[in-house]
């Protein structure tokens, strides 16, 4: 049995404490306070997506979780252990935003290096590497160099490297950057499998479609706090009772007057100025009212759709801004 597997099976490790518990965390840089009272608990076996505007402090939160910047006030515990302690860091697997692998080495060689760095005994490295590759389904590419792999395989290898120390908390920072659609589905399935195995998984992402696919819970970081956290469906039902998301597109950007009509209906445009979305009442009158208003204003949409509100509507409502 590998050292890592032994560590995982050790009954002394069966702590009832959650993989991650943050209470009243404040942190920042110099005079700058970035996190101003963050509360967040992640349970084993769940995936939580953390979203927030650019500069909200997501990377700062990751640094604090990994013990790289100290809390000014509040506590961060990893399986009950204060984040500053080495024992806590050993329970965290971090797959950073930039692929943190040796590009000229193969997947297997990289995993062997990281296993040694994670403290796996030399004699246990091969078993550890084989175990992690089986867990992440990357054996078929084991002997390919990182720089020859697609973005999707590189991301999977990046996740595998985070698992060599057999963590309880897996932190994935922007795991879908550079990943095409089919590979994203594979990645989502992998993340869910790892959670089903008992890991607590925190996914920091700007990719709302991925967040909706992979995470049962979402946390929205805004103005230094977790403004909202919970099951996505429940949060949406509570925030938008009997409402639907309306999405309207135009062949060319509407006039300022047209934009104003849309804004009055709660529909906000994207940067290109041709796609607008917002929430409307989930009644025939809600949809009919919008369509009638478009007609009166002389606005001819290219497409118009009404669908259940999703993370983007929730995010816009909580942060007051569009999708980052
Ligand atoms: N080392 C640092 N020293 C001083 N200020 C910093 C440092 N790192 C980040 N900041 C500032 O702290 C704030 C939060 O940054 P952070 O990188 O945590 O945000 P983020 O939510 O991860 O942003 P993004 O989504 O753009 O990656 C920003 O205003 C940033 O300029």
């Amino acid at each position: 049995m590998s050292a890592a597997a032994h560590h995982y099976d050790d009954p002394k490790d069966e702590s009832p404490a959650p993989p991650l518990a943050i209470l009243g965390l404040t942190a920042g840089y110099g005079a700058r306070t970035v996190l101003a009272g963050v509360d967040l608990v992640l349970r084993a076996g769940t995936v939580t997506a953390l979203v927030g505007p650019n500069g909200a402090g997501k990377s700062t939160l990751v640094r604090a979780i990994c013990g790289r910047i100290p809390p000014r006030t509040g506590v961060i515990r990893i399986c009950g252990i204060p984040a500053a302690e080495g024992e806590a860091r050993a329970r965290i697997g971090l797959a950073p935003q930039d692929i943190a692998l040796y590009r000229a080495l193969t997947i297997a060689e990289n995993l062997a290096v990281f296993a040694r760095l994670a403290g796996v005994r030399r004699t246990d490295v091969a078993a550890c590497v084989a175990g992690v590759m089986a867990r992440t389904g990357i054996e078929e590419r084991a002997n390919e160099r990182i720089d020859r792999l697609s973005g999707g395989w590189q991301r999977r290898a990046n996740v595998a490297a985070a698992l060599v120390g057999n963590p309880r908390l897996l932190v994935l920072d922007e795991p879908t950057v550079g990943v095409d659609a089919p590979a994203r589905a594979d990645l989502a399935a992998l993340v869910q499998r790892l959670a089903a195995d008992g890991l607590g998984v925190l996914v920091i992402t700007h990719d709302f479609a991925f967040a909706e696919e992979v995470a049962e819970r979402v946390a929205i970081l805004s103005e230094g706090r977790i403004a909202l956290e919970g099951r996505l469906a429940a949060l949406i039902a509570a925030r938008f009772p009997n409402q639907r998301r309306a999405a309207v597109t135009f062949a060319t950007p509407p006039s300022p007057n047209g934009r104003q009509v849309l804004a009055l209906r709660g529909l906000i445009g994207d940067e290109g100025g041709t796609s607008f979305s917002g929430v409307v009442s989930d009644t025939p009158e809600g949809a009919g009212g919008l369509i009638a208003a478009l007609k009166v204003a002389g606005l001819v949409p290219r497409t118009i759709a009404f669908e259940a509100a999703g993370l983007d509507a929730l995010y816009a409502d909580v942060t007051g801004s569009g999708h980052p």
Side-chain angles (χ1 to χ4, degrees):
M1 183 186 284
S2 75
H6 177 74
H7 178 82
Y8 190 69
D9 293 340
D10 188 343
K12 290 196 291 299
D13 268 345
E14 288 299 324
S15 161
L20 176 65
I22 303 177
L23 192 67
L25 171 69
T26 66
Y29 308 93
R32 173 97 202 269
T33 297
V34 176
L35 304 175
V38 168
D39 298 311
L40 183 65
V41 175
L42 227 94
R43 307 237 160 253
T46 62
V47 182
T48 297
L50 178 73
V51 299
N54 291 324
K58 300 179 295 296
S59 303
T60 304
L61 185 59
V62 171
R63 285 183 204 121
I65 289 169
C66 295
R68 299 219 306 268
I69 58 171
R72 286 184 181 154
T73 61
V75 289
I76 308 176
R77 287 179 186 275
I78 314 298
C79 303
I81 305 165
E85 293 183 17
E87 268 294 287
R89 184 65 187 85
R91 285 169 168 76
I92 303 172
L94 169 66
Q97 182 166 355
D98 297 323
I99 302 284
L101 301 169
Y102 296 101
R103 298 184 59 77
L105 299 186
T106 66
I107 288 184
E109 288 166 346
N110 266 283
L111 295 180
V113 170
F114 287 108
R116 287 294 285 153
L117 289 173
V120 175
R121 281 202 305 268
R122 192 176 294 276
T123 48
D124 295 328
V125 165
C128 171
V129 169
V132 165
M133 288 200 295
R135 215 173 157 195
T136 50
I138 55 175
E139 300 104 317
E140 62 185 273
R141 302 294 169 102
N143 297 317
E144 285 187 40
R145 284 168 54 137
I146 299 300
D147 58 7
R148 307 259 162 86
L149 293 171
S150 66
W153 282 102
Q154 289 189 7
R155 285 286 163 195
R156 282 167 76 165
N158 208 36
V159 173
L163 295 173
V164 292
N166 232 330
R168 294 302 184 85
L169 172 66
L170 181 63
V171 179
L172 306 177
D173 198 353
E174 298 291 355
T176 60
V177 171
V179 179
D180 63 18
R184 274 163 46 117
D186 288 345
L187 195 63
L190 168 61
V191 172
Q192 287 182 320
R193 225 170 38 238
L194 293 171
D197 272 2
L199 282 172
V201 186
L202 184 64
V203 180
I204 294 101
T205 188
H206 284 105
D207 182 341
F208 285 3
F210 186 74
E212 286 178 337
E213 191 176 345
V214 80
E216 61 177 277
R217 300 182 79 88
V218 295
I220 301 179
L221 183 65
S222 179
E223 298 183 345
R225 290 166 193 272
I226 301 296
L228 204 63
E229 193 277 339
R231 286 177 185 275
L232 181 60
L235 295 175
I236 287 169
R239 199 93 178 181
F240 306 117
N242 308 315
Q243 288 178 301
R244 287 180 86 70
R245 177 176 178 273
V248 184
T249 66
F250 298 94
T252 55
S255 66
N257 182 45
R259 290 183 73 91
Q260 206 175 357
V261 169
L262 290 159
L264 283 172
R265 292 268 153 187
L267 268 64
I268 307 298
D270 68 355
E271 269 177 23
T274 54
S275 297
F276 291 75
S277 64
V279 287
V280 297
S281 164
D282 187 15
T283 58
E285 296 74 44
L290 174 61
I291 291 165
L294 294 176
K295 199 168 174 193
V296 168
L299 292 164
V300 182
R302 197 166 67 86
T303 63
I304 180 161
F306 296 94
E307 55 200 36
L311 180 54
D312 51 358
L314 192 65
Y315 180 91
D317 201 47
V318 171
T319 65
S321 59
H323 191 155

